[in-house]
PDB file of all heavy atoms in Angstrom:
ATOM      1  N   SER A 164      -0.502 -16.030  -1.412  1.00 96.00           N
ATOM      2  CA  SER A 164      -1.836 -16.190  -1.997  1.00 96.00           C
ATOM      3  C   SER A 164      -2.738 -15.001  -1.675  1.00 96.00           C
ATOM      4  O   SER A 164      -3.745 -14.803  -2.340  1.00 96.00           O
ATOM      5  CB  SER A 164      -2.479 -17.489  -1.526  1.00 96.00           C
ATOM      6  OG  SER A 164      -2.438 -17.546  -0.126  1.00 96.00           O
ATOM      7  N   LYS A 165      -2.381 -14.208  -0.652  1.00 96.00           N
ATOM      8  CA  LYS A 165      -3.227 -13.050  -0.316  1.00 96.00           C
ATOM      9  C   LYS A 165      -2.396 -11.785  -0.283  1.00 96.00           C
ATOM     10  O   LYS A 165      -1.296 -11.768   0.279  1.00 96.00           O
ATOM     11  CB  LYS A 165      -3.819 -13.241   1.071  1.00 96.00           C
ATOM     12  CG  LYS A 165      -5.092 -14.031   1.091  1.00 96.00           C
ATOM     13  CD  LYS A 165      -5.687 -13.908   2.469  1.00 96.00           C
ATOM     14  CE  LYS A 165      -6.795 -14.905   2.671  1.00 96.00           C
ATOM     15  NZ  LYS A 165      -7.036 -15.137   4.094  1.00 96.00           N
ATOM     16  N   VAL A 166      -2.975 -10.718  -0.845  1.00 97.00           N
ATOM     17  CA  VAL A 166      -2.250  -9.450  -0.916  1.00 97.00           C
ATOM     18  C   VAL A 166      -3.161  -8.312  -0.430  1.00 97.00           C
ATOM     19  O   VAL A 166      -4.047  -7.869  -1.167  1.00 97.00           O
ATOM     20  CB  VAL A 166      -1.781  -9.174  -2.364  1.00 97.00           C
ATOM     21  CG1 VAL A 166      -0.880  -7.947  -2.412  1.00 97.00           C
ATOM     22  CG2 VAL A 166      -1.038 -10.378  -2.925  1.00 97.00           C
ATOM     23  N   PRO A 167      -2.965  -7.860   0.815  1.00 96.00           N
ATOM     24  CA  PRO A 167      -3.807  -6.767   1.305  1.00 96.00           C
ATOM     25  C   PRO A 167      -3.398  -5.433   0.679  1.00 96.00           C
ATOM     26  O   PRO A 167      -2.300  -4.940   0.923  1.00 96.00           O
ATOM     27  CB  PRO A 167      -3.548  -6.773   2.827  1.00 96.00           C
ATOM     28  CG  PRO A 167      -2.241  -7.471   3.013  1.00 96.00           C
ATOM     29  CD  PRO A 167      -2.030  -8.367   1.828  1.00 96.00           C
ATOM     30  N   VAL A 168      -4.268  -4.885  -0.144  1.00 96.00           N
ATOM     31  CA  VAL A 168      -3.996  -3.614  -0.842  1.00 96.00           C
ATOM     32  C   VAL A 168      -5.298  -2.822  -0.988  1.00 96.00           C
ATOM     33  O   VAL A 168      -6.386  -3.377  -0.825  1.00 96.00           O
ATOM     34  CB  VAL A 168      -3.442  -3.833  -2.277  1.00 96.00           C
ATOM     35  CG1 VAL A 168      -1.981  -4.199  -2.282  1.00 96.00           C
ATOM     36  CG2 VAL A 168      -4.269  -4.855  -3.036  1.00 96.00           C
ATOM     37  N   GLY A 169      -5.153  -1.555  -1.337  1.00 93.00           N
ATOM     38  CA  GLY A 169      -6.318  -0.725  -1.645  1.00 93.00           C
ATOM     39  C   GLY A 169      -6.790  -0.990  -3.072  1.00 93.00           C
ATOM     40  O   GLY A 169      -6.144  -1.705  -3.846  1.00 93.00           O
ATOM     41  N   LYS A 170      -7.909  -0.380  -3.397  1.00 92.00           N
ATOM     42  CA  LYS A 170      -8.563  -0.636  -4.683  1.00 92.00           C
ATOM     43  C   LYS A 170      -7.683  -0.267  -5.878  1.00 92.00           C
ATOM     44  O   LYS A 170      -7.747  -0.905  -6.924  1.00 92.00           O
ATOM     45  CB  LYS A 170      -9.874   0.160  -4.731  1.00 92.00           C
ATOM     46  CG  LYS A 170     -10.789  -0.296  -5.815  1.00 92.00           C
ATOM     47  CD  LYS A 170     -12.218   0.095  -5.566  1.00 92.00           C
ATOM     48  CE  LYS A 170     -13.093  -0.268  -6.742  1.00 92.00           C
ATOM     49  NZ  LYS A 170     -12.949  -1.649  -7.196  1.00 92.00           N
ATOM     50  N   ASP A 171      -6.829   0.753  -5.697  1.00 93.00           N
ATOM     51  CA  ASP A 171      -5.993   1.214  -6.811  1.00 93.00           C
ATOM     52  C   ASP A 171      -5.008   0.151  -7.312  1.00 93.00           C
ATOM     53  O   ASP A 171      -4.447   0.303  -8.392  1.00 93.00           O
ATOM     54  CB  ASP A 171      -5.230   2.486  -6.397  1.00 93.00           C
ATOM     55  CG  ASP A 171      -4.354   2.249  -5.177  1.00 93.00           C
ATOM     56  OD1 ASP A 171      -4.807   1.595  -4.222  1.00 93.00           O
ATOM     57  OD2 ASP A 171      -3.199   2.713  -5.183  1.00 93.00           O
ATOM     58  N   GLN A 172      -4.802  -0.909  -6.523  1.00 96.00           N
ATOM     59  CA  GLN A 172      -3.819  -1.924  -6.928  1.00 96.00           C
ATOM     60  C   GLN A 172      -4.463  -3.151  -7.576  1.00 96.00           C
ATOM     61  O   GLN A 172      -3.777  -4.124  -7.903  1.00 96.00           O
ATOM     62  CB  GLN A 172      -2.989  -2.376  -5.715  1.00 96.00           C
ATOM     63  CG  GLN A 172      -2.224  -1.257  -5.030  1.00 96.00           C
ATOM     64  CD  GLN A 172      -1.150  -0.668  -5.928  1.00 96.00           C
ATOM     65  OE1 GLN A 172      -0.433  -1.401  -6.625  1.00 96.00           O
ATOM     66  NE2 GLN A 172      -1.046   0.643  -5.934  1.00 96.00           N
ATOM     67  N   GLU A 173      -5.766  -3.097  -7.733  1.00 94.00           N
ATOM     68  CA  GLU A 173      -6.502  -4.266  -8.224  1.00 94.00           C
ATOM     69  C   GLU A 173      -5.980  -4.767  -9.584  1.00 94.00           C
ATOM     70  O   GLU A 173      -5.788  -5.954  -9.786  1.00 94.00           O
ATOM     71  CB  GLU A 173      -7.970  -3.861  -8.370  1.00 94.00           C
ATOM     72  CG  GLU A 173      -8.922  -4.947  -8.014  1.00 94.00           C
ATOM     73  CD  GLU A 173     -10.350  -4.415  -7.937  1.00 94.00           C
ATOM     74  OE1 GLU A 173     -10.609  -3.254  -8.323  1.00 94.00           O
ATOM     75  OE2 GLU A 173     -11.195  -5.188  -7.493  1.00 94.00           O
ATOM     76  N   GLN A 174      -5.746  -3.845 -10.483  1.00 96.00           N
ATOM     77  CA  GLN A 174      -5.297  -4.243 -11.823  1.00 96.00           C
ATOM     78  C   GLN A 174      -3.910  -4.905 -11.778  1.00 96.00           C
ATOM     79  O   GLN A 174      -3.633  -5.865 -12.501  1.00 96.00           O
ATOM     80  CB  GLN A 174      -5.276  -3.025 -12.755  1.00 96.00           C
ATOM     81  CG  GLN A 174      -5.110  -3.410 -14.206  1.00 96.00           C
ATOM     82  CD  GLN A 174      -5.103  -2.214 -15.148  1.00 96.00           C
ATOM     83  OE1 GLN A 174      -4.838  -1.079 -14.746  1.00 96.00           O
ATOM     84  NE2 GLN A 174      -5.391  -2.458 -16.413  1.00 96.00           N
ATOM     85  N   HIS A 175      -3.038  -4.382 -10.891  1.00 97.00           N
ATOM     86  CA  HIS A 175      -1.714  -4.993 -10.748  1.00 97.00           C
ATOM     87  C   HIS A 175      -1.833  -6.448 -10.261  1.00 97.00           C
ATOM     88  O   HIS A 175      -1.064  -7.313 -10.677  1.00 97.00           O
ATOM     89  CB  HIS A 175      -0.861  -4.199  -9.752  1.00 97.00           C
ATOM     90  CG  HIS A 175      -0.503  -2.829 -10.242  1.00 97.00           C
ATOM     91  ND1 HIS A 175      -0.137  -1.813  -9.396  1.00 97.00           N
ATOM     92  CD2 HIS A 175      -0.451  -2.306 -11.489  1.00 97.00           C
ATOM     93  CE1 HIS A 175       0.128  -0.727 -10.099  1.00 97.00           C
ATOM     94  NE2 HIS A 175      -0.065  -1.001 -11.371  1.00 97.00           N
ATOM     95  N   LEU A 176      -2.783  -6.669  -9.391  1.00 97.00           N
ATOM     96  CA  LEU A 176      -2.970  -8.026  -8.875  1.00 97.00           C
ATOM     97  C   LEU A 176      -3.474  -8.968  -9.972  1.00 97.00           C
ATOM     98  O   LEU A 176      -3.076 -10.132 -10.035  1.00 97.00           O
ATOM     99  CB  LEU A 176      -3.987  -7.982  -7.720  1.00 97.00           C
ATOM    100  CG  LEU A 176      -3.417  -8.075  -6.314  1.00 97.00           C
ATOM    101  CD1 LEU A 176      -2.815  -9.445  -6.056  1.00 97.00           C
ATOM    102  CD2 LEU A 176      -2.325  -7.031  -6.094  1.00 97.00           C
ATOM    103  N   GLU A 177      -4.304  -8.433 -10.812  1.00 97.00           N
ATOM    104  CA  GLU A 177      -4.823  -9.225 -11.924  1.00 97.00           C
ATOM    105  C   GLU A 177      -3.649  -9.655 -12.818  1.00 97.00           C
ATOM    106  O   GLU A 177      -3.588 -10.779 -13.300  1.00 97.00           O
ATOM    107  CB  GLU A 177      -5.770  -8.326 -12.706  1.00 97.00           C
ATOM    108  CG  GLU A 177      -6.864  -9.037 -13.422  1.00 97.00           C
ATOM    109  CD  GLU A 177      -7.757  -7.993 -14.098  1.00 97.00           C
ATOM    110  OE1 GLU A 177      -8.405  -7.225 -13.364  1.00 97.00           O
ATOM    111  OE2 GLU A 177      -7.733  -7.939 -15.339  1.00 97.00           O
ATOM    112  N   MET A 178      -2.706  -8.734 -12.994  1.00 98.00           N
ATOM    113  CA  MET A 178      -1.552  -9.057 -13.842  1.00 98.00           C
ATOM    114  C   MET A 178      -0.659 -10.083 -13.159  1.00 98.00           C
ATOM    115  O   MET A 178      -0.099 -10.967 -13.808  1.00 98.00           O
ATOM    116  CB  MET A 178      -0.780  -7.789 -14.181  1.00 98.00           C
ATOM    117  CG  MET A 178      -1.690  -6.865 -14.976  1.00 98.00           C
ATOM    118  SD  MET A 178      -0.901  -5.386 -15.480  1.00 98.00           S
ATOM    119  CE  MET A 178       0.130  -5.963 -16.805  1.00 98.00           C
TER     120      MET A 178
END
Side-chain angles (χ1 to χ4, degrees):
S164 52
K165 274 191 193 159
V166 187
V168 282
K170 195 159 175 51
D171 59 317
Q172 301 295 318
E173 217 170 9
Q174 192 179 21
H175 293 159
L176 257 293
E177 208 177 294
M178 298 182 75

